[in-house]
Amino acid sequence: MCSSDLSPRVGFNWDVRGDQKTQVRGGTGVFTGAPLYVWVSNQLGNTGVLQGSVTEDFPTARPFSPDVNRYKPATVTGAPAASYELNVTDNDFKFPQVLRNNIAVDRRLPWGLTGTGEFIYNKDVNGIYYINANLPAPQSAFTGVDNRPRWVGPSCTAPGPCVNRLNNAAGNQVTAAYVMKNQSVGSSWNISGSLSKSFYHGLSLKGAYSYGDAHNTIDPGSTASSTFNLNEHSADPYNPGLGRSYSAQGNRAFVQASYNRSYFGFGATTISAFWEMREPLNGSGGGLSPNGSYVFAGDANGDGGSGNDLIYIPRNTSEMNFVAFTAGPNTFSPEQQAAAFEAYINQDKYLSKHRGEYAKRGEVWDPLMKRMDLSITQDVFHNIAGQRNAGQFRIDITNFGNLLNHNWGVSQRFTVPITQAYGAQILTNPAADAQGRLSYRMATVNNQLVTKSFQTQTETNTSIQTGSDVYQFMLSFRYSFN
């Protein structure tokens, strides 16, 4: 592992006419940083030598003793672990490095307006990705319209090569060998603009809009195994292709207003409002993101990663291959599921536009969320012994729109369950049928086939519900002694 000592950068700031009305600024440069230390610590815990621990909250058989050898096993053979995972770093691995470019214009406009526009573009020089060096090439492929590669072969319970392990030797079994490597295909960009104006009588307004996007082949997480196995793809996990990153920003707009005036002669009254429109942050387990993907629930291709196989989007019901199943009191035939999935695709903006294709990672944006916060403060002061003593009453109402209407300020998330990454599991129980075609079931919620892509957080009945979708307020008083 090494870092580059060269990080050239250049920037400029230009007053176009020398009258401080139009300013152009920008720059370009290479930025280098140390990798997240958790990426390195993975290798300390997965060296082929297993570590064990015992945790006892109320020890009776093994009470605490300062003697470190008190509970040491009587017999330690020193034999290597019979089964283990390896995490390693490529010999030529370099510290993360990105080429960053930006250009911006600040302009004083008529009517006292001030405007700013900016564009930022980043390109990976040394990005991060993982491979599993112990994963063999796929041994087969599905038949039919969805003919993705398939890992089939000898059971992994027997010594020797197995379906998804090159090294499966009895007594020296390598379950996986994750290698951290560099690549330079990722990129991101952001464009933004803002306007602001200060009026008379303490009124000020500011508004802005931005859109950001990012693409890469993998979003590195805290562990090598989850990063590789949860990375969504439709064919080769070694070459998943570019997909939208789960760090992409998407749309965001806001308007901020503030009004300040003294009405009563003993202190100023300030009213502030902040309205925002953005992609809500949803997700489960793996983190929060404004976008997601459509995947199978289960390991569709047999490579060992569950919940990471992107679905094929059928052109019509003739390309669907459902299997009958029972959920609670209801039994759903293949025809019922095909009709339900056809209706689901037609109401889904992404799926309906990409029929006949494999779904892509991160391409489904959550519905935009709109909300407003309100704050009112009242200053009061009084002279005591010639000294001014000041106080302030304040009320902050978060998600003020939800106070006026319970349908306002509410975010939405995928109706179907979400994997530990960001995949919406619309199809479940993937398997090969008698003809070698990929078969599956349609997802259900409350023992009913799913009918819509998104629902509000309060409809999910899950632990993901938070207080962000309801209004909250706080009353406070501050007193300053002088």
Side-chain angles (χ1 to χ4, degrees):
M1 184 182 298
C2 63
S3 63
S4 173
D5 295 329
L6 296 177
S7 295
R9 306 172 193 175
V10 61
F12 68 92
N13 194 325
W14 177 35
D15 185 351
V16 177
R17 294 188 176 181
D19 56 2
Q20 298 185 346
K21 287 187 176 181
T22 303
Q23 176 181 261
V24 179
R25 51 187 169 84
T28 184
V30 175
F31 293 79
T32 305
L36 297 180
Y37 293 122
V38 69
W39 298 343
V40 180
S41 67
N42 286 330
Q43 301 166 45
L44 302 178
N46 293 282
T47 62
V49 179
L50 296 185
Q51 301 175 350
S53 63
V54 175
T55 301
E56 292 192 43
D57 295 328
F58 302 97
T60 55
R62 288 185 290 267
F64 172 76
S65 171
D67 181 4
V68 295
N69 295 312
R70 174 74 179 272
Y71 302 116
K72 184 177 179 180
T75 302
V76 179
T77 65
S83 176
Y84 51 88
E85 175 187 311
L86 294 174
N87 289 179
V88 299
T89 299
D90 185 80
N91 287 334
D92 296 324
F93 182 84
K94 296 180 175 60
F95 278 18
Q97 197 171 54
V98 64
L99 173 64
R100 179 164 296 168
N101 312 273
N102 81 291
I103 183 72
V105 177
D106 304 309
R107 171 69 178 173
R108 291 186 179 179
L109 301 169
W111 308 298
L113 292 168
T114 300
T116 294
E118 186 164 9
F119 178 73
I120 300 173
Y121 178 77
N122 301 313
K123 182 72 171 66
D124 281 348
V125 177
N126 293 311
I128 307 297
Y129 80 109
Y130 287 88
I131 65 168
N132 177 6
N134 201 41
L135 179 67
Q139 299 90 5
S140 182
F142 288 101
T143 62
V145 290
D146 186 349
N147 57 359
R148 72 182 70 210
R150 183 183 174 203
W151 277 258
V152 295
S155 169
C156 293
T157 59
C162 73
V163 58
N164 50 30
R165 295 176 194 155
L166 290 172
N167 185 325
N168 194 52
N172 187 30
Q173 184 186 76
V174 180
T175 57
Y178 300 110
V179 185
M180 183 167 64
K181 300 168 70 69
N182 289 125
Q183 62 180 186
S184 58
V185 297
S187 65
S188 65
W189 59 272
N190 182 280
I191 188 169
S192 62
S194 67
L195 288 171
S196 62
K197 178 176 172 61
S198 295
F199 296 85
Y200 296 105
H201 307 300
L203 175 64
S204 63
L205 292 172
K206 182 176 183 179
Y209 170 79
S210 66
Y211 181 85
D213 208 352
H215 289 80
N216 56 21
T217 62
I218 198 168
D219 282 306
S222 59
T223 64
S225 59
S226 62
T227 296
F228 182 80
N229 287 317
L230 294 179
N231 191 43
E232 297 151 354
H233 61 89
S234 58
D236 183 359
Y238 279 166
N239 299 288
L242 281 174
R244 176 168 281 129
S245 169
Y246 291 114
S247 297
Q249 173 189 312
N251 291 282
R252 183 172 185 261
F254 73 84
V255 176
Q256 178 181 338
S258 179
Y259 178 73
N260 180 280
R261 189 106 183 245
S262 182
Y263 286 102
F264 308 107
F266 56 78
T269 302
T270 303
I271 302 174
S272 301
F274 183 83
W275 178 88
E276 181 183 27
M277 176 186 74
R278 62 174 172 83
E279 319 279 353
L281 298 179
N282 295 315
S284 173
L288 299 178
S289 172
N291 54 326
S293 314
Y294 279 114
V295 297
F296 288 97
D299 186 2
N301 63 358
D303 65 350
S306 182
N308 67 347
D309 297 301
L310 296 164
I311 69 167
Y312 170 78
I313 309 168
R315 292 183 176 88
N316 48 54
T317 56
S318 69
E319 292 188 343
M320 301 178 188
N321 192 26
F322 286 102
V323 175
F325 73 100
T326 298
N330 304 314
T331 297
F332 300 104
S333 68
E335 293 76 19
Q336 287 176 304
Q337 295 175 69
F341 194 37
E342 177 70 14
Y344 184 95
I345 292 174
N346 288 333
Q347 62 83 48
D348 188 282
K349 291 182 179 179
Y350 176 75
L351 295 179
S352 60
K353 292 181 180 179
H354 296 275
R355 285 181 175 269
E357 304 174 13
Y358 287 101
K360 293 185 178 180
R361 177 170 61 96
E363 288 294 320
V364 185
W365 290 106
D366 294 331
L368 289 170
M369 181 185 70
K370 307 175 185 68
R371 61 180 296 174
M372 184 177 75
D373 300 333
L374 182 70
S375 176
I376 302 174
T377 61
Q378 176 62 57
D379 294 333
V380 294
F381 66 88
H382 185 71
N383 290 330
I384 300 177
Q387 299 291 324
R388 175 169 169 157
N389 288 253
Q392 185 184 80
F393 293 94
R394 178 170 182 149
I395 179 171
D396 294 285
I397 307 176
T398 303
N399 203 357
F400 175 69
N402 189 255
L403 173 63
L404 305 179
N405 187 318
H406 70 277
N407 292 319
W408 295 352
V410 177
S411 64
Q412 298 184 64
R413 65 178 292 260
F414 281 112
T415 303
V416 295
I418 301 173
T419 68
Q420 289 184 347
Y422 309 92
Q425 301 174 332
I426 185 62
L427 300 176
T428 72
N429 298 84
D433 66 11
Q435 289 78 41
R437 299 173 301 170
L438 183 57
S439 64
Y440 35 76
R441 304 174 185 176
M442 189 171 178
T444 60
V445 173
N446 297 326
N447 296 326
Q448 297 293 331
L449 298 177
V450 176
T451 59
K452 58 182 180 179
S453 305
F454 298 96
Q455 62 184 9
T456 62
Q457 298 274 29
T458 53
E459 291 179 286
T460 61
N461 296 320
T462 71
S463 60
I464 299 177
Q465 296 178 29
T466 66
S468 62
D469 286 333
V470 295
Y471 71 88
Q472 303 176 64
F473 68 90
M474 180 178 67
L475 297 172
S476 60
F477 176 75
R478 182 176 66 183
Y479 191 86
S480 301
F481 296 91
N482 294 309

